[in-house]
Amino acid sequence: MRFVRGWGVGLGLAVLGAARPGLAQEPIDFARQVLPVLEKHCFECHRAAYTDAQGRRRTPKGGLRLDGREWIAKGGDNGRVLVPGKPEQSELYTRTVLPEDHPDRMPDGRDALPARETEILRAWIAAGAGFGAWSGATGPEPVRLTGSGAARPAEPVAAWRTEVAKGLAPLAPEVLAKAAGGKARITPIAEGSPLLRVEFPGHEADVGDQDLAALAPLREHVAQLILPRARVTDRGMAAVARLPRLVHLDLRETAVGDPGVAQLGGLTELRVLNLFATPVTDAGVATLARLSKLESVYLWESEVTEAGLVRLRAALPGARIVGAPALPAPETDGAGARNPRRPR
């Protein structure tokens, strides 16, 4: 399972199909039922960094590790992948039930998980995502258990949550509902936080600049704006630039280029920016050098040159600037031919 395209994309899918008879009534044992699914389909790409047989260094795709309960609770570069009790909001499940030709379906480039295995994931998450006695690899921070036994990171999960939300009160539900406009999914970034995550699961193809302008009533509260493959343009970045608490912006596979990125120079809280497969060039990323809080910038398959990456790394020495992924060697069919189902 390779979460390369932007882990932080909330898909918000309706559960596809009813629970398989009998499984929903049985308690789900993580070590006995869930762990084998992760080991079989996910660990190859979502485990601790290692050196492969060819001597190449392999790191967890999308910053996501699934080989320990604390790592699962932490999520990847783009946020959480597990929401205990809510499989429809947990990408650990929703990505496995996407159509085969969907670019975010997991496992990437391989056969879909059997229906019973996706149902195990769904039922486990719906029941609270308890890990039992299993802990796996030691994680980056201690965890506490909820009443259901689900692992969650101990506070503070991220220092910026408190810092950025200082003095901010939650918005009324009716304000959120109106701003959603039938397309957006608007949720708190964490339980009790006034900061919001805004995404458009299932509506990427018809989300445009006008939908960004409609977020104006939320401007003080939006911390995460997830727009992969949306029809937004440089013009729409004017609305994004007016989000003073924006911490995470995902623009991958959009038409946003240098003029749009140039408008983001005032987003002083921005820490994660995904520009994968956009037309941004060296001229555009020069703006980013002013954003001192940036921690991760994804520029793979953009128009930024190696020289541009070098300059940006020099300007932001503490940030992770990703110009290309560390991909595994292509598989062969045993006769030297590449397996066409493996990602290129």
Side-chain angles (χ1 to χ4, degrees):
M1 192 179 287
R2 302 181 58 234
F3 293 85
V4 175
R5 291 183 178 268
W7 214 173
V9 184
L11 297 170
L13 300 176
V15 176
L16 302 182
R20 293 176 66 88
L23 186 57
Q25 287 75 42
E26 300 170 3
I28 301 296
D29 182 278
F30 178 86
R32 183 172 60 85
Q33 295 170 276
V34 180
L35 183 58
V37 176
L38 300 183
E39 289 176 333
K40 178 180 178 182
H41 300 287
C42 309
F43 277 15
E44 177 185 350
C45 298
H46 299 288
R47 51 179 280 197
Y50 68 100
T51 301
D52 67 16
Q54 287 73 42
R56 286 169 295 194
R57 186 69 170 167
R58 303 301 186 196
T59 57
K61 300 295 188 280
L64 174 68
R65 287 180 56 177
L66 299 174
D67 55 348
R69 66 189 290 170
E70 294 167 12
W71 291 108
I72 294 173
K74 177 179 182 291
D77 290 337
N78 288 325
R80 293 187 301 169
V81 300
L82 177 65
V83 182
K86 298 180 179 180
E88 72 283 356
Q89 295 181 23
S90 300
E91 293 189 15
L92 187 60
Y93 163 71
T94 60
R95 287 184 178 235
T96 69
V97 293
L98 288 169
E100 183 176 0
D101 60 350
H102 196 290
D104 287 321
R105 185 182 71 82
M106 296 296 158
D108 188 11
R110 299 183 181 181
D111 292 337
L113 271 63
R116 180 167 178 81
E117 292 185 357
T118 60
E119 173 57 20
I120 285 172
L121 292 176
R122 189 208 63 78
W124 171 64
I125 297 170
F131 291 89
W134 182 82
S135 58
T138 302
E141 53 195 12
V143 298
R144 59 184 174 84
L145 297 180
T146 65
S148 65
R152 293 184 183 173
E155 294 296 339
V157 175
W160 62 262
R161 288 186 182 174
T162 300
E163 174 189 339
V164 176
K166 188 174 182 180
L168 200 62
L171 288 172
E174 54 268 26
V175 175
L176 302 182
K178 184 176 181 180
K183 292 182 183 178
R185 185 173 76 190
I186 303 172
T187 55
I189 64 165
E191 186 176 352
S193 176
L195 296 173
L196 301 173
R197 176 184 176 94
V198 179
E199 52 201 332
F200 297 84
H203 293 281
E204 294 88 352
D206 58 1
V207 169
D209 296 340
Q210 72 281 0
D211 297 291
L212 300 181
L215 298 177
L218 314 179
R219 63 179 299 271
E220 294 291 338
H221 292 72
V222 177
Q224 298 175 337
L225 182 58
I226 312 301
L227 299 167
R229 297 178 300 282
R231 304 298 186 184
V232 296
T233 70
D234 292 330
R235 183 178 298 180
M237 294 304 100
V240 175
R242 291 192 287 269
L243 304 176
R245 291 180 171 84
L246 191 62
V247 171
H248 176 182
L249 176 60
D250 187 343
L251 294 171
R252 58 195 168 89
E253 300 180 88
T254 66
V256 175
D258 293 346
V261 173
Q263 298 180 69
L264 306 181
L267 296 177
T268 56
E269 296 295 343
L270 196 63
R271 289 160 170 82
V272 178
L273 177 61
N274 195 332
L275 295 169
F276 164 75
T278 63
V280 174
T281 72
D282 293 1
V285 297
T287 301
L288 307 182
R290 304 199 301 267
L291 301 177
S292 60
K293 292 184 180 179
L294 272 174
E295 298 173 357
S296 299
V297 183
Y298 299 89
L299 293 164
W300 176 37
E301 291 193 13
S302 70
E303 299 301 318
V304 177
T305 67
E306 186 60 35
L309 294 173
V310 169
R311 287 194 293 271
L312 188 57
R313 289 178 180 129
L316 300 170
R320 180 186 181 208
I321 312 298
V322 181
L327 293 175
E331 289 187 352
T332 67
D333 60 6
R338 292 190 179 200
N339 182 342
R341 289 193 58 79
R342 296 293 293 170
R344 295 183 294 275

